[in-house]
Amino acid sequence: MDPIPVIDTHQHLWDLDLFQLPWLDLPGMDVLRNSFRMTDYREATRNCPIIKSVYMEVNVHPDLQRQEAQYVLALCEEDDNPMSGAVIGGSPGESSFADYLDEFAGNPFVKGVRTILHDPDRPRGMCLTPQFKENIRLLGDLGLSFDLCMRPAEIQDAVELVDACPETRFIIDHCGNMSVQPDQQQDRAAWETGMQQMAQREHVMCKISGIVATATPGTWQPADLKQNIDFCLDTFGEDRIFFGGDWPVCTLTADFESWYQALLWIVQDRSETFQRKLFHDNAAAFYQLKS
């Protein structure tokens, strides 16, 4: 069959002349300590049938979240690139979040908000404070979603947050961040249980993304990713999954095309309908992206 048109629901960009990304100072981030602009993304995806993308915030310094949002929303306005929506950064744990959101909530390109929950300076349970929950409920009132990017052993915290915010839609990023490394499986039982519980909540989606970054650079094979991905696909089902490129973070282990081709291989025996939902249809509907 002809290639299925792809919506990339996890497109990162960053310009280090404009933004500070403190996490780039962490060990092992050498290949990411460069600017990655739209022209670079177009080159990285030139052999993939990307027709639309949704920007994903890149954990800039909190003082720069407003500027980051303005930067990407300007890109969404342009016709020379695939960016059709944005999940902007924000700090739901802060009382100032509602005022911050006021500036952007009416913009049709703003689809949701994310704040990273797995950084070393972010303790377990930070998403369970009364202030955090109140602000995530506010997202639901505004028709916006919240992306959960957290440690695999802490998915249970997400279950509590989701239950406290029944009118807000959630996305679990990167298959719940469970590593594919054989010596890093101590959290698998907690991850599987948490993911199964999340799948029971109908307002939660699972993003099939990021997982290749946990593979072994230079020697990984698509089969290394298959167990974790199949678990997520089977647990959430064909209507509550979508694809994310996670470029350039994926380049810690793989270029965009290698990750995309690996996922194609993993789902090759699933129906064309399933594959179309994964790569295009579910994202188009969830984010209400215009044709």
Side-chain angles (χ1 to χ4, degrees), residues 50-250:
I50 306 294
I51 61 164
K52 294 182 187 299
S53 64
V54 178
Y55 176 82
M56 175 55 63
E57 66 90 27
V58 296
N59 201 15
V60 299
H61 189 285
D63 291 346
L64 299 174
Q65 287 174 340
R66 178 172 277 101
Q67 293 95 310
E68 178 196 19
Q70 293 168 340
Y71 170 74
V72 298
L73 291 173
L75 285 174
C76 290
E77 295 275 4
E78 298 175 3
D79 295 328
D80 62 351
N81 70 79
M83 192 183 290
S84 304
V87 176
I88 63 173
S91 301
E94 304 295 329
S95 59
S96 58
F97 180 75
D99 289 338
Y100 164 78
L101 206 57
D102 276 346
E103 182 176 340
F104 302 108
N107 188 307
F109 293 113
V110 176
K111 305 301 181 179
V113 172
R114 183 178 77 161
T115 190
I116 293 288
L117 297 174
H118 60 62
D119 273 4
D121 64 338
R122 303 187 182 181
R124 176 166 192 165
M126 69 171 281
C127 66
L128 298 180
T129 66
Q131 181 72 75
F132 203 105
K133 292 177 180 177
E134 177 183 338
N135 282 326
I136 299 303
R137 284 192 287 268
L138 174 60
L139 291 179
D141 293 340
L142 296 170
L144 301 176
S145 61
F146 185 70
D147 275 67
L148 293 155
C149 196
M150 58 202 307
R151 304 173 190 100
E154 298 174 13
I155 302 294
Q156 185 63 50
D157 288 355
V159 175
E160 181 177 336
L161 177 64
V162 167
D163 285 348
C165 307
E167 303 303 320
T168 303
R169 299 180 303 163
F170 292 85
I171 307 97
I172 303 174
D173 288 353
H174 306 333
C175 298
N177 283 316
M178 185 65 214
S179 175
V180 302
Q181 295 293 340
D183 63 347
Q184 297 178 20
Q185 298 301 301
Q186 64 274 13
D187 295 329
R188 175 164 289 275
W191 170 75
E192 288 186 355
T193 298
M195 294 293 278
Q196 288 165 340
Q197 291 178 330
M198 289 291 272
Q200 294 170 6
R201 278 75 181 165
E202 294 186 357
H203 53 305
V204 180
M205 302 285 288
C206 182
K207 190 181 295 182
I208 308 302
S209 63
I211 194 167
V212 72
T214 72
T216 303
T219 63
W220 71 273
Q221 298 293 322
D224 300 338
L225 316 179
K226 184 173 171 57
Q227 180 184 8
N228 284 13
I229 289 175
D230 278 345
F231 174 83
C232 291
L233 297 177
D234 294 337
T235 299
F236 280 84
E238 65 180 25
D239 294 321
R240 291 168 54 207
I241 51 170
F242 42 58
F243 165 78
D246 195 30
W247 182 91
V249 179
C250 67

Side-chain angles (χ1 to χ4, degrees), residues 238-239 241 273-283:
E238 65 180 25
D239 294 321
I241 51 170
T273 297
F274 187 104
Q275 294 183 44
R276 286 189 175 278
K277 288 180 177 182
L278 168 64
F279 285 107
H280 179 275
D281 294 357
N282 289 345

